[in-house]
Amino acid sequence: MIANHAETGEVRGERQRTAGNTRVAVIGGGLAGLVAARDLALAGARVTLFEGSDRLGGRVHAVQLAGAPFDVGAEAFATRGGSVAALLTELGITDRVVQPANLGAWVVGDAGPLPLPPGGAIGIPAKPLAAAARKHLGWLGAVRAAAEPLLPRARNIDGDTTVADAVRSRLGERVLQRLVRPITLGVYSAEPERLPLAAVAGLSAAYARTGSLVLAARELREASVAAGGAVASLAGGMTTLVSVLAETVAALGCDIVLGASVDALSKGAAADAPWKLMGGGGEPIPGSGHFDAVLLAVPESAARALLQAAAPAPSREAAAPAEHDIEVIALAIDDDRLDAAPRGTGVLVAAGAGIAAKALTHVTAKWPDRAATVSPGTHVLRLSYGRAGSAPETADLDPAAALALAHRDAAAILGMHVDADRIVGWERQRWHVGAPPGASPRLTVPPRAALAGDWVSGTGLASVIPGARAAAAGLLRETAHITHNTSRNESPVSPA
Ligand SMILES: Cc1cc2nc3c(=O)[nH]c(=O)nc-3n(C[C@H](O)[C@H](O)[C@H](O)COP(=O)(O)OP(=O)(O)OC[C@H]3O[C@@H](n4cnc5c(N)ncnc54)[C@H](O)[C@@H]3O)c2cc1C
């Protein structure tokens, strides 16, 4: 059911609390921008959302494959923290939540394909001496990791410490190389040497509480039944959330302008001077005007460029962030041997395993609702390419060569030959992804501006959604005193 919040008392109450009709421009229509726009509009702000492309959702996007939509960006959300569930409840769509099959994930490394030890976090095993972990680590590595809770708490480990430094010093090289590295590359697109502990939601706080990475992993995942299992999705895929948010935001009176890339911002020197938005060539964006506040929900490089143009900062702050490309290739394969889900819900591939892909998701095994949308015996596999710091292996390949590589990798990962004529459809999607929070120099945010997005609050919807809500709340606090002498029905933007 789609709830129309414009009709609810919740919305009317929020609006009454904010009498000012603050004019806010939200720039970027991914999940962060949509969630922030909704909260701002619910609180009575007059919101215009500018999205540079011709669709909403950003990295939440689906393509048609084997007659049904399949996600080629985010396909699920982490259930930790309950922030996504809270939003779904507010939107009235908890009945659309679907759970993954309890099959567990695998890792392909030096020792070949092996099930990922259950119950860990980013590959840190919750029970290092259990057989599932010993198969990866051997007795030596397993005993070294199992002794970790007995080690004294390391004073030099905090949120800024990299995952690599923390894992290597406390758990040993084998845990780092055989379990943690494939996961940080597959899930965070980041080498553990470049991933701060604080970027892994909850890990740094759990380590601070327990003094042990093994105990922290156990604490973080004790509710999960299989490794990689603490996620959920929505019937029809995660674009369901985009559609419902877009409808809700529009019903709240927010103007959504597609194809409106904001290429420059300007603001007078006074703290309360209005913001102006410009497109390419410095021309005002059609439908744009003056805004009391701006919320930037764009990737880091775009946010830095916009703020740098609006309020030039020392060059140290303008440093280019470490962004890179990844590519997703989705294959639809008509082969009922895949009904047996030979690699569970999917596989993370260690570098050096002789396979170019860094991960494979067996989409139709992982999500039974999606299997129901295709013909019996048809399966959808999703391969990801592009480890941090290097272009995706598919980057320069023409379509035939990219398909051939994905076909070869899928067969190697699944451990079975798949005839080429069994591939009944395929799609490729290139993504530009940012560095995790804390990886780039700090950015000074001017008054009446706020930042949202995964580069600010952490990768994944479970971090992006609360981060965007916090950014919207901060902006509302900052602009609470503004009142305009206009009625609610007046055009939300003044002429440029
Ligand atoms: C392949 C892949 C798989 C993923 N899987 C998962 C998953 O399963 N679960 C999960 O939780 N997360 C997953 N993620 C991460 C998740 O998708 C992101 O963390 C999240 O979608 C980021 O949302 P965002 O709004 O911050 O950014 P984006 O979605 O990138 O949105 C930014 C928007 O800003 C627009 N924009 C950019 N510049 C401008 C401009 N100058 N003017 C106007 N608009 C502009 C862009 O067009 C875009 O729509 C995945 C990511 C990828 C790439």
Side-chain angles (χ1 to χ4, degrees), residues 58-95:
R59 279 169 277 157
V60 181
H61 180 51
V63 297
Q64 286 289 321
L65 206 54
F70 282 91
D71 290 316
V72 284
E75 56 142 20
F77 58 90
T79 54
R80 69 180 142 75
S83 54
V84 184
L87 177 68
L88 301 179
T89 303
E90 288 173 38
L91 292 170
I93 54 170
T94 48
D95 58 342

Side-chain angles (χ1 to χ4, degrees), residues 244-266:
V244 173
L245 272 172
E247 281 171 26
T248 308
V249 160
L252 286 166
C254 168
D255 280 349
I256 297 175
V257 191
L258 296 179
S261 177
V262 179
D263 294 333
L265 289 175
S266 74

Side-chain angles (χ1 to χ4, degrees), residues 27-34 50-53 55-60 72-78 187 231 238 260-263 285 297-299 302 306 326-328 366 382 384 431-433 452-455 458-464:
I27 305 171
L31 247 292
L34 284 166
F50 297 92
E51 164 54 43
S53 74
R55 63 167 182 84
L56 295 170
R59 279 169 277 157
V60 181
V72 284
E75 56 142 20
F77 58 90
V187 176
V231 295
M238 288 310 297
S261 177
V262 179
D263 294 333
I285 292 181
V298 293
L306 286 171
I326 61 174
E327 189 158 314
V328 169
K366 183 171 183 179
R382 207 174 98 143
S384 312
W431 293 111
H432 195 58
V433 295
D454 57 358
W455 65 278
T459 304
L461 307 184
S463 300
V464 169

Side-chain angles (χ1 to χ4, degrees), residues 1-3 91 93 96 239-249:
M1 184 193 94
I2 300 174
L91 292 170
I93 54 170
R96 307 251 194 118
T239 49
T240 301
L241 179 57
V242 175
S243 317
V244 173
L245 272 172
E247 281 171 26
T248 308
V249 160

Side-chain angles (χ1 to χ4, degrees), residues 79 99-105 116-120 220-231:
T79 54
Q99 303 298 331
N102 184 15
L103 297 171
L116 191 62
L220 285 182
R221 298 297 299 276
E222 66 186 4
S224 114
V225 285
V231 295

